[in-house]
Amino acid sequence: MTSLRIALAVACLAASAGLIACGDDGGSSPSAVAVRDAWARSTADGQTAGAAYMKITGGSVDDRLLTAATPSDVARAVELHETVVAGGGMGSMTMRELDGLDVPAEETVQMSPGGYHVMLVDLAAPLVVGRSFDLVLTFANAGPQTVRVSVRDT
Amino acid sequence: MKADRPLRLVSSVVCLVLAFASCTSNRGADAPTMTGLALEPAPDVSALSLPDAGNGGAPFRTRAAPGGLLLVYFGYTSCPDVCPTTMSDLRVAESSLTEAQQGRVRFAMVTIDPSRDSDELLTRYVRSFAADGHALRTEDATELRAAAAAFGADFGVKDGGMGQPEVLHTGWVYVVDDRGRLRLQWPFGTTSEDMASDLRVLLTEAVGRA
């Protein structure tokens, strides 16, 4: 676990470094957030819901992800979710819909399997490896950001 | 730090497993180490059978073929995060086994959401992960509850009104041997390497016994 934590800390540091580098380009506003490694798992035949994952790094001020949206040829609706261990034991897991996700300044929030995810409700078509689609993330401060999500197996 | 969250989830499950394991690890020191949780005595699920939707609803007994292993999962097809993650990990684990070993491992998924998962939908779903997989589905709520209980699994589907139904399920994978004993179970978040390693130990043991 310790090595994982260290790896995560290093990843966060690297992410912050990347953000600073981006800031040096000029263009981006001080409240900008950076979204990286956006991916969705390919879906099985008959699977009607999917999930997208990514890393979101806050800008110079605290921000909050409010909504996510995709074109209707990807999914009917998009929701922000968190997978949580339900009470009562036996390793029961369930999902909780979030009304937003805090992205503290210069911190990285990881959306990953078994944790936070963007749920794609009623997929219009299966998600196929190698394809990609647009996801519009709307932040309280940074406003709407379009992210390209690539479809992968793992 | 927020980034810790999924890790904390995994670590809490792992702690649970360790807590269990410390109560049950009283076997010989020379026994190969396995990651999954082994209950002792191993629960007997050999008497259970559920309709196999991909085989015209014929009863399917939750027991592996001689010398083989049966992996059982309780899930549902509109599961966006936990089930596809586990299926993907299982597929990677199985693909790292030899071809002969792969031929001895079968997969069965029991839907905990039979009202939304039709026979046809569930069969397509299961076979897209495992071509020879078994799609187990019953509309008899008592039968489903009893099957889950035999494995120690829990589930619940609550109508979400206008929104998505709220679904709760145990995200474990259960490994059953050819005598119908529940030999091992992996919590959500078990790596494909650990699954593959456990499968190799159990498959080797089955050869030794045959």
Side-chain angles (χ1 to χ4, degrees):
Chain A
M1 221 68 226
T2 310
S3 63
L4 269 176
R5 275 176 199 282
I6 290 169
L8 262 175
V10 170
C12 292
L13 266 177
S16 324
L19 191 73
I20 293 160
C22 292
D24 288 345
D25 295 343
S28 49
S29 80
S31 64
V33 294
V35 181
R36 290 179 331 285
D37 302 339
W39 69 286
R41 197 184 298 283
S42 59
T43 55
D45 195 9
Q47 185 180 332
T48 53
Y53 310 102
M54 65 209 71
K55 297 184 184 99
I56 306 175
T57 303
S60 56
V61 295
D62 289 349
D63 210 333
R64 184 172 171 81
L65 172 60
L66 301 175
T67 59
T70 58
S72 60
D73 63 356
V74 175
R76 181 180 59 78
V78 178
E79 295 173 359
L80 301 175
H81 278 247
E82 180 184 18
T83 294
V84 291
V85 173
M90 300 218 269
S92 279
M93 307 179 85
T94 189
M95 295 188 310
R96 193 171 67 187
E97 189 176 353
L98 305 172
D99 60 7
L101 181 59
D102 283 332
V103 182
E106 278 150 39
E107 268 192 39
T108 296
V109 177
Q110 189 144 336
M111 303 184 89
S112 56
Y116 296 126
H117 56 275
V118 172
M119 178 175 175
L120 307 165
V121 183
D122 291 340
L123 292 165
L127 298 178
V128 178
V129 173
R131 300 268 185 85
S132 59
F133 60 88
D134 281 339
L135 186 69
V136 180
L137 302 173
T138 301
F139 294 89
N141 280 319
Q145 312 254 329
T146 302
V147 178
R148 197 78 188 151
V149 180
S150 35
V151 180
R152 309 199 311 240
D153 260 341
T154 52
Chain B
M1 187 168 65
K2 292 276 185 197
D4 263 346
R5 225 172 165 110
L7 273 181
R8 261 195 275 135
L9 187 73
V10 171
S11 65
S12 65
V13 172
V14 169
C15 291
L16 199 78
V17 174
L18 289 178
F20 269 112
S22 60
C23 306
T24 57
S25 62
N26 54 358
R27 49 173 98 107
D30 56 343
T33 316
M34 290 193 283
T35 304
L37 165 67
L39 297 178
E40 287 184 21
D44 183 354
V45 294
S46 64
L48 267 179
S49 84
L50 286 168
D52 189 343
N55 189 20
F60 175 81
R61 285 181 73 181
T62 51
R63 174 177 185 161
L69 295 170
L70 175 71
L71 309 182
V72 180
Y73 189 72
F74 290 82
Y76 60 110
T77 68
S78 53
C79 174
D81 181 36
V82 171
C83 314
T85 299
T86 303
M87 297 302 115
S88 170
D89 291 341
L90 275 176
R91 196 158 48 178
V92 172
E94 201 182 345
S95 67
S96 75
L97 300 176
T98 66
E99 211 165 299
Q101 287 172 327
Q102 285 180 34
R104 293 161 57 201
V105 178
R106 286 282 179 283
F107 174 70
M109 174 165 145
V110 183
T111 179
I112 52 138
D113 190 8
S115 62
R116 285 194 295 169
D117 291 344
S118 66
D119 281 348
E120 188 262 336
L121 185 67
L122 183 68
T123 303
R124 273 166 49 204
Y125 182 83
V126 169
R127 290 189 178 164
S128 77
F129 289 115
D132 51 8
H134 299 275
L136 308 183
R137 176 179 181 272
T138 175
E139 289 179 9
D140 180 338
T142 310
E143 185 179 39
L144 179 57
R145 186 62 67 186
F151 283 87
D154 189 20
F155 67 93
V157 183
K158 256 195 299 188
D159 188 1
M162 295 292 286
Q164 295 292 305
E166 195 181 308
V167 183
L168 170 156
H169 67 120
T170 301
W172 298 70
V173 176
Y174 302 94
V175 185
V176 181
D177 68 13
D178 57 3
R179 291 172 304 164
R181 307 281 166 178
L182 172 52
R183 294 296 306 279
L184 213 59
Q185 53 197 79
W186 296 310
F188 176 78
T190 303
T191 66
S192 49
E193 291 84 3
D194 285 341
M195 291 176 178
S197 164
D198 286 359
L199 287 174
R200 283 189 206 102
V201 171
L202 289 176
L203 287 168
T204 305
E205 177 197 298
V207 167
R209 209 176 56 233

